[in-house]
Amino acid sequence: MTTRIYKIVSEGEWRAAEAKGLFEGSAVDRRDGFIHFSTAAQAPETAAKHFAGAHDLLLVAVDASALDLKWEVSRGGQLFPHLHAALPMSAVLRVDPLPLCASGEHRFPAME
């Protein structure tokens, strides 16, 4: 499996988590009982499906090997990484802006 996974999150939610030292998930994550992540291949479709037109987003790259993930079947039968706990900041590798292009799609940084 991949060693790097990604979380798309609003800047406000992420900055609050940084101040707290722990990310307990977005409102959707808390409702579902786990933190949703995507692989590099899945992230653009996740952005288009769940964050279409959203501004002020960040792409958080996370070290999957530092977490106890469950890879569970979701969209289209694909396995998605889910974390059934809070995300420690020690597992975060980088945080990048996820701006909208003129076309309305999000512009992703290079991902591994």
Side-chain angles (χ1 to χ4, degrees), residues 13-73:
E13 288 174 315
W14 186 252
R15 298 303 175 210
E18 285 179 326
K20 188 174 185 177
L22 192 67
F23 180 67
E24 295 177 319
S26 67
V28 170
D29 296 327
R30 292 189 304 276
R31 181 198 70 210
D32 291 347
F34 56 86
I35 300 176
H36 296 263
F37 290 95
S38 298
T39 65
Q42 295 164 334
E45 185 179 345
T46 296
K49 181 174 175 73
H50 298 289
F51 299 93
H55 297 273
D56 298 324
L57 294 178
L58 298 173
L59 183 69
V60 180
V62 175
D63 179 5
S65 67
L67 304 174
D68 184 20
L69 295 169
K70 290 185 180 180
W71 290 80
E72 298 173 309
V73 176

